[in-house]
Amino acid sequence: MKEIILIKNGELVLKGLNRNNFEDTLIRNIKKRLEGCGDFSIKKAQSTIYITPESDAFDFENALTRVGKIFGIAGYCRACVCEKEMADILEKSAPYLENTLRNATTFKVEAKRADKRFQYKSPEICMELGGHLLKNFPHLKVDVHNPDVTVTVEIRDFNAYIRANQIHGAGGLPVGTAGRASILISGGIDSPVAAWCMAKRGLELNAIHFASPPYTSPRAELKVKQLLEKVAAYSGTIRLGIVPFTEIQEEIAKKCPEDYFTLIMRRMMMRISERLSRERNSLALITGESLGQVASQTLPALATTDAVVNMPVLRPLIGMDKDEIVIISRKIDAFEISIQPYEDCCTVFTPKHPKTRPTIEQCEEAEANLDIDALVEKAVAGTQYSYID
């Protein structure tokens, strides 16, 4: 029996005249992410994308795992290809569904008749196939409200397809349809989740990490790369820039009031990130800040950091509490990496009593002794790049 992967679009169906652009981007992303799974062809029709293996060597399980992490996909499943004849549908259904139905207790049948010329109407298809499956699997009972397995027959233009339960996809929009932005990535729980959230809205990601050796360990950089690998499983390739930040932090410690250390450090990070972002055509910065979580994330403090850049700053976690963030971190398999005890530069020179209600004018006065332009220029020039897949 011939088997394919059916992919159901999510929000893309609402995109009107731009829908083809979104679907074409999704197909490109699928092709790239399935490289190495074997030869296959891909086509789209009627809000569905069809992935057809071209050889027996196609790795179905690996392909399904990867498909489940591609943004823009609402649902996906394996499906058996049938002729548009009721006899062929019945003949192939029991062998194809055997492994699924023999371990189930209840089931129901649904029919989607996109081709209205098919000789059976949807209720008739359900009755015919349901009765056939009950004969072949007498232990089953019909439950139309909460079945263990929903068997679906789709009647399309050229073929019919039999499938069992559809798997929920990653949802969102295809990466690349919303432009490009830069995530300020630390080794904590929040920023990888923020990166994942914005990739889900169609953003291609660059990443910027600030390193402060010898105050931070090389293992902290390795930790960040491991976190980005978890995000890249959903977003695709991420370009990572490692920014040398030691000199800047030492200058801040020598020349600025202690209670402003964190605020001035964040302002310097934003300046550098904006420079690096514009060089890579990133249109916004992304941070993992959550309102009120720490002293530098009060509303006045956030206003002082935003004041030094002239591009949007996206904060997808701003209204979440820590429990909500941890749920997503676990979902994307980043949590256990995030809690490893390798600290990043945000923990260096932390003031005992950080300023929580600063003004922009106060921050400007506190950093007045720094040669800001020279420090930013040197940090940008010293940034080293790599790619995370």
Side-chain angles (χ1 to χ4, degrees), residues 212-228:
S212 295
Y215 304 108
T216 58
S217 164
R219 291 184 177 181
E221 292 184 31
L222 177 61
K223 178 182 175 183
V224 164
K225 291 178 180 179
Q226 291 173 334
L227 288 170
L228 287 176

Side-chain angles (χ1 to χ4, degrees), residues 174-181 198-199 201-206 281-284:
V175 171
T177 56
R180 180 184 295 156
M198 296 315 303
R201 301 313 305 158
L203 281 175
E204 181 183 346
L205 299 176
N206 288 327
N281 297 318
S282 282
L283 301 179

Side-chain angles (χ1 to χ4, degrees), residues 119-139:
Q119 62 268 37
Y120 290 83
K121 294 182 179 179
S122 294
E124 296 169 336
I125 296 171
C126 294
M127 290 178 61
E128 288 285 332
L129 181 55
H132 180 74
L133 293 175
L134 283 172
K135 290 179 182 178
N136 283 271
F137 304 96
H139 69 285

Side-chain angles (χ1 to χ4, degrees), residues 24 42 87 109-110 134 174 177 199 203 221 228 235 252 264 295 300 331 346 386:
D24 290 344
I42 188 167
V109 177
E110 293 183 346
L134 283 172
T177 56
L203 281 175
E221 292 184 31
L228 287 176
S235 70
I252 293 171
I264 296 171
K331 174 181 177 178
C346 295
S386 60

Side-chain angles (χ1 to χ4, degrees), residues 228-248:
L228 287 176
E229 287 173 1
K230 298 299 183 181
V231 177
Y234 293 87
S235 70
T237 302
I238 300 172
R239 187 176 191 255
L240 169 63
I242 302 289
V243 180
F245 206 57
T246 307
E247 181 179 350
I248 290 175

Side-chain angles (χ1 to χ4, degrees), residues 308-321:
V308 299
V309 296
N310 291 304
M311 62 169 47
V313 180
L314 308 178
R315 295 184 171 94
L317 313 186
I318 196 70
M320 294 187 188
D321 61 31

